[in-house]
Each structure stands twice: as C-alpha cells, then as structure tokens.
Amino acid sequence: AANDGVAGGCLPLVDMEVPEVKLQLVSDHPIAGTGVTLPALSMRQLRRVGATSTASLDSPGSEPHHPMSTRLFFGRQEVRDHVPRQITLTPKGSEASQPLMRFVSRDLLAVDVPRPQPEEKTDSLEMAT
C-alpha cells in the first residue's frame, strides 16, 4: 500500500509482521443457532490504510493514526465478503429484510499495528577499524 514504505524511520510492514490474530465473527441472530458457521478472519485479511477513506472513523474523540504504525480496517466490505447472506435485518417500519452490510459503517474497526524500527548501530570496541 502507498503508506507502507519507509517513512519516519520505520521499515515497511510486511504480512509476516502482521500478527496472525484470528477475529471470530459472532452473532445472536436467529440464523446463527441453526448451524450456520460464521467465519474467522485473520488480521492479515483486513484492509490497509491506503485502500480506503477513513471518514467514518475520523470523528471527534477518535484516536489519531500513529505515523509509525500501519492501520488496518474492518467494516462494510469485510461483512459483505464474509458474513453469510442469510443474516439480514428488518428496518423499523419496513417489511423487507435488508443485508447486514447495509447497517455497518464503511470502517467499523481500526487496528494500528506498529511497524518494526530499524536497528541502530552502536559503536563498540569490537567494530572493524
């Protein structure tokens, strides 16, 4: 992504440096009790900051993005791609059920992953002259 280059003294974040954390989707929707399996996503499947606008997360009181980290996002796109289409909601005053993704913000969750810092070379008596 565009913001993953060497910047501010940080090395680029590569997939091996993104923690292999599984995010299990859970729901109390009635369909979840019928044996429909909700997926688990890896943090490596989340979108990076260069792939999206952050307008829905840039609200008063939200934490600013740290320049020495890479921000990963979960939101509407991931719900569309991973949540079973049978999970729907019925808006108030409406008869027709709507897909869950219509009720999820573009960017619902942001995770900042620190980028590795380059090793500093220190002088020692054992260095070459």
Side-chain angles (χ1 to χ4, degrees):
N3 293 341
D4 286 340
V6 176
C10 292
L11 298 174
L13 185 72
V14 295
D15 280 342
M16 294 304 291
E17 293 156 345
V18 174
E20 186 56 37
V21 175
K22 296 290 183 185
L23 307 168
Q24 176 65 53
L25 300 178
V26 295
S27 175
D28 61 358
H29 189 279
I31 196 96
T34 64
V36 172
T37 303
L38 295 175
L41 287 106
S42 163
M43 280 190 42
R44 294 177 184 174
Q45 292 176 283
L46 302 182
R47 286 175 287 129
R48 295 185 187 230
V49 73
T52 185
S53 162
T54 60
S56 60
L57 287 173
D58 292 339
S59 59
S62 65
E63 286 288 318
H65 173 64
H66 193 279
M68 296 175 80
S69 66
T70 295
R71 185 164 275 189
L72 305 174
F73 292 96
F74 174 87
R76 186 180 304 141
Q77 180 176 331
E78 289 71 27
V79 168
R80 181 191 69 219
D81 294 344
H82 299 286
V83 173
R85 299 210 184 272
Q86 302 98 313
I87 297 181
T88 59
L89 294 175
T90 304
K92 288 183 179 182
S94 173
E95 296 294 322
S97 294
Q98 300 292 321
L100 183 63
M101 67 176 255
R102 294 203 56 195
F103 301 93
V104 175
S105 296
R106 180 185 326 140
D107 300 316
L108 183 64
L109 170 73
V111 178
D112 287 332
V113 179
R115 284 187 252 160
Q117 304 298 312
E119 288 186 30
E120 291 186 25
K121 296 181 180 179
T122 56
D123 293 334
S124 77
L125 294 174
E126 298 171 6
M127 292 182 71
T129 56

